[in-house]
Amino acid sequence: MPRAVVLFRWSILSLLAAWMGVAPPARADQPGAPVQVKVFVAAMFEIGQNTGDRAGEFQHWYERYWKDARPISVPGALQPVYCNADGVCGAVLGMGKVNSSASMQAILLSPQFDFSHAYYVLSGVGGTPPSRGTIGEVNWASWLVDYDLGHRWAAEENTPGAPTFMPRKGYEAYRAFKLNPALVGWAMQLSADTPLLDSDAARAYRLRYPDAAARRAPFVGSGTHMTGDTFFHGPGLSKQAQYIARLYGADDYVITEMEAAALTLVIQRTHGTERILSLRGAVNFDQGNPHETTLQHLDPAPGETAGGFPETVANIERVGARVVDHIVAHWPQWRDGVPPR
């Protein structure tokens, strides 16, 4: 039917409806109302399909919330967005700062969604220093710190033992983000006692490290997450990450990852940072044990890699879902801001 005829008939029906005192009919050619997003879950990669095969960062979330959801294509985003009837949405954004933040920006600006009251869970795997974390743990960020913004030079060009990193002026507003302590406190309160999975392979791998923290069973913790496009490895660069965290007044560095600070900057420019959570599960240590070189740690022999990846990605969703489900179930209390505990 020609568009002009459709519009004419719709106008006549609207006039009749107004004369009869009833609501006018919906126009068939009008786009649907935007999805009212309550919680947006961001993952960075998936290994294969969203369900039915080896799980990456997105699969457990997808199977919990979106198995029956239709994909919503967003121009400029790496993967489609999925939403359920409760307003829980999520997507795979891509790995690295540029990749993930480009997807996040496209999704935030899409007229298909209303993020005006949304909370964000930036979710994925990461590494941890053996002095502070262990394989399989799940960690809520208290701070997000950018590892890359500044000056860095080779150790042989430096005074022995001195730092080889110096902050660059002009980055102060977006090199470190303190996440909302009230929201992080809620996340810890709701999820600290979550039963976490473990594996024999992970337990055996932990015993290669003498650190008491490295030998712990998986737990739910909190601390600074260090965002860098470089997969830094070795005790020297781990110490440098801790140095940067302290230089910026953040908490102890406990997780290394590649996206969260960049994603937070994107969200800040449109909706602020008060509703952002960063959740990471540790799947490796950021350095080798005392009996291997950094290169051996980076390129291990067959069968020598850290175990526990399948358990860790499951743990991330187990922990994060407690917070997502609580927010949705108590939406009247959460809609306009983080409620008091």
Side-chain angles (χ1 to χ4, degrees):
M1 185 180 295
R3 177 178 169 83
V5 174
V6 171
L7 293 175
F8 175 75
R9 288 188 175 181
W10 185 87
S11 298
I12 294 298
L13 289 171
S14 296
L15 290 172
L16 288 172
W19 178 70
M20 296 171 64
V22 299
R27 275 177 51 176
D29 62 340
Q30 281 184 322
V35 176
Q36 303 293 313
V37 183
K38 295 176 183 174
V39 183
F40 183 83
V41 179
M44 310 309 148
F45 72 88
E46 185 49 58
I47 294 171
Q49 301 301 312
N50 287 337
T51 186
D53 58 4
R54 185 187 178 201
E57 292 181 343
F58 191 59
Q59 186 168 132
H60 292 292
W61 291 107
Y62 178 85
E63 291 176 344
R64 184 180 186 93
Y65 293 111
W66 307 302
K67 285 193 74 171
D68 299 320
R70 65 179 181 87
I72 303 172
S73 179
V74 177
L78 180 69
Q79 296 288 339
V81 176
Y82 297 88
C83 296
N84 67 12
D86 292 326
V88 179
C89 299
V92 174
L93 303 183
M95 294 179 65
K97 290 193 224 174
V98 174
N99 200 7
S100 60
S101 58
S103 293
M104 190 76 253
Q105 184 75 85
I107 293 167
L108 287 173
L109 296 180
S110 172
Q112 300 174 94
F113 310 100
D114 181 351
F115 284 95
S116 58
H117 295 93
Y119 292 85
Y120 304 84
V121 178
L122 312 179
S123 167
V125 299
T128 188
S131 61
R132 285 169 173 77
T134 192
I135 305 298
E137 76 162 281
V138 182
N139 196 281
W140 296 102
S142 55
W143 285 76
L144 300 171
V145 171
D146 193 295
Y147 177 77
D148 301 314
L149 296 176
H151 300 278
R152 187 173 275 113
W153 55 96
E156 63 267 21
E157 299 165 0
N158 198 50
T159 303
T164 58
F165 175 86
M166 181 173 66
R168 180 179 174 85
K169 291 183 179 179
Y171 294 134
E172 292 83 359
Y174 45 89
R175 68 190 183 193
F177 300 91
K178 184 177 183 180
L179 298 185
N180 184 348
L183 182 56
V184 177
W186 264 109
M188 285 296 296
Q189 177 179 312
L190 292 168
S191 66
D193 63 348
T194 305
L196 300 181
L197 302 177
D198 202 359
S199 71
D200 291 339
R203 281 187 283 267
Y205 190 82
R206 294 184 195 111
L207 294 178
R208 301 181 181 193
Y209 290 78
D211 310 78
R215 295 186 170 205
R216 288 183 65 180
F219 64 96
V220 179
S222 180
T224 292
H225 294 188
M226 188 69 57
T227 300
D229 277 324
T230 301
F231 282 92
F232 63 82
H233 286 262
L237 294 183
S238 181
K239 289 178 182 177
Q240 186 174 95
Q242 193 65 261
Y243 169 77
I244 294 170
R246 290 173 177 168
L247 197 65
Y248 295 164
D251 296 332
D252 275 0
Y253 147 66
V254 294
I255 290 288
T256 170
E257 44 85 14
M258 300 177 65
E259 298 89 12
L263 293 172
T264 296
L265 178 60
V266 169
I267 298 168
Q268 180 193 52
R269 289 182 174 175
T270 47
H271 297 290
T273 63
E274 292 299 293
R275 297 181 178 219
I276 298 174
L277 288 165
S278 180
L279 179 65
R280 293 281 171 162
V283 294
N284 64 272
F285 293 115
D286 69 359
Q287 58 195 273
N289 65 66
H291 303 294
E292 65 181 343
T293 66
T294 297
L295 187 57
Q296 288 171 329
H297 176 68
L298 274 169
D299 188 21
E304 297 297 308
T305 56
F309 183 91
E311 292 77 19
T312 303
V313 292
N315 287 342
I316 294 167
E317 184 271 331
R318 283 186 172 199
V319 171
R322 286 198 170 192
V323 178
V324 173
D325 291 347
H326 179 88
I327 290 173
V328 171
H330 300 85
W331 186 242
Q333 290 77 44
W334 283 82
R335 180 183 183 276
D336 295 322
V338 179
R341 286 191 287 153

